Amino acid sequence: MAKKPQPPVPGPPFIRLLAALADRNAPRTSPDLADRLSQWIDWTRAVALSRALDGRLPAAAEAEPGPVEPLLAECQRVRDSLGQAIQKPPVPGKPEPRETMAWKTRCLNHQRAMLSASGRLRGLLRDRLSALPDDRARLAEVDAVMEQALSPCEHSLLAAVPALLGTHFERLRDAASADDTDDGVDPAWLQLFRTDMQNVLMAELDVRFHPIDGLLAALRAH
């Protein structure tokens, strides 16, 4: 008896959210990883990655690495702080801005905060893994090469998010009914946009923390 075909795997939440805002169909499956990497990594970076994968491990540090718990706690603290900033509710009695640029700037500020914080944590985790006398030190090298190779494309793609949200904002505003008043209460369309923007940014936060989660998993594997 023939097996029933398996349902397609849904695309990543971040991509599906962006596709919904752009009124497009998101791919039901993610592109093949090898094909995607071949488009993002040129031959010079491929050579650097090969060396990181196959080269000799650096000499382990003579000093005993410090405890892992403070670093784990710092990663969680930073992630929680970024998430709370994204999901911060509006100030009661203070209307939210009605200008597209104000929201695009807010989105950009959150992206910059995520980029700075995630990059710092990634470096701290690599330093900690590099001090270990096993193959986890190699993971630190590989991650450093991958960050350098993929960051330009990643930054270019994520830079499109504020513009996409700006278009979504204007579409909701232009389609709004007569309930858009200036009585100090945010209209329904603006509340919907704020929720949509928060969902997109929280999904982006998950994307930016994927490498950190991987490094943390390696660090916990004693």
Side-chain angles (χ1 to χ4, degrees), residues 6 14 18 27 41 53 55 57 60 63 67 91 102 108 123 126 131 153 168 194 212-214:
Q6 294 295 322
F14 184 53
L18 293 180
I41 300 179
L53 288 168
L57 287 172
V91 178
L108 185 58
R126 285 199 298 260
C153 290
H168 180 54
R194 184 171 56 241
I212 294 172
D213 291 339

Side-chain angles (χ1 to χ4, degrees), residues 14 18 21 82 85-87 96-97 99-116 157-169 193-194 196-205 208:
F14 184 53
L18 293 180
L21 295 185
L82 291 168
I86 291 171
Q87 296 180 308
E96 293 279 55
E99 300 80 24
T100 308
M101 184 56 64
W103 288 95
K104 290 171 70 174
T105 299
R106 184 179 296 187
C107 175
L108 185 58
N109 288 339
H110 284 303
Q111 287 186 310
R112 287 171 175 166
M114 287 189 281
L115 174 62
S116 176
L157 292 172
L158 292 177
V161 173
L164 180 58
L165 284 169
T167 300
H168 180 54
F169 176 90
F193 172 79
R194 184 171 56 241
D196 289 341
M197 178 172 166
Q198 289 174 343
N199 289 339
V200 167
L201 288 172
M202 288 300 293
E204 181 177 335
L205 180 61
R208 290 185 183 273

Side-chain angles (χ1 to χ4, degrees), residues 42-217:
D42 57 27
W43 72 269
T44 56
R45 292 189 173 96
V47 170
L49 179 58
S50 177
R51 289 173 178 169
L53 288 168
D54 301 327
R56 293 183 59 185
L57 287 172
E62 295 182 2
E64 184 70 20
V68 173
E69 287 72 18
L71 188 52
L72 303 182
E74 174 65 5
C75 291
Q76 188 61 55
R77 182 195 68 79
V78 170
R79 187 169 190 164
D80 289 345
S81 177
L82 291 168
Q84 289 167 7
I86 291 171
Q87 296 180 308
K88 184 178 180 180
V91 178
K94 183 180 179 181
E96 293 279 55
R98 307 291 176 88
E99 300 80 24
T100 308
M101 184 56 64
W103 288 95
K104 290 171 70 174
T105 299
R106 184 179 296 187
C107 175
L108 185 58
N109 288 339
H110 284 303
Q111 287 186 310
R112 287 171 175 166
M114 287 189 281
L115 174 62
S116 176
S118 60
R120 180 181 68 86
L121 292 177
R122 206 165 167 179
L124 290 175
L125 289 168
R126 285 199 298 260
D127 289 345
R128 184 64 175 75
L129 287 169
S130 296
L132 298 176
D134 54 35
D135 281 343
R136 286 176 292 179
R138 188 184 303 281
L139 175 61
E141 285 194 74
V142 171
D143 182 73
V145 173
M146 292 295 288
E147 182 177 24
Q148 185 178 20
L150 301 182
S151 287
C153 290
E154 179 184 88
H155 294 170
S156 176
L157 292 172
L158 292 177
V161 173
L164 180 58
L165 284 169
T167 300
H168 180 54
F169 176 90
E170 292 171 354
R171 183 165 55 243
L172 290 176
R173 182 191 59 194
D174 294 345
S177 60
D179 68 347
D180 185 5
T181 62
D182 292 321
D183 58 2
V185 178
D186 292 329
W189 70 266
L190 187 54
Q191 297 177 40
L192 174 61
F193 172 79
R194 184 171 56 241
T195 298
D196 289 341
M197 178 172 166
Q198 289 174 343
N199 289 339
V200 167
L201 288 172
M202 288 300 293
E204 181 177 335
L205 180 61
D206 288 340
V207 170
R208 290 185 183 273
F209 265 73
H210 283 167
I212 294 172
D213 291 339
L215 295 174
L216 284 171

Side-chain angles (χ1 to χ4, degrees), residues 20-37:
L21 295 185
D23 197 24
R24 299 173 183 170
N25 292 324
R28 293 294 297 171
T29 58
S30 300
D32 180 79
L33 179 59
D35 290 342
R36 179 63 66 187
L37 288 178

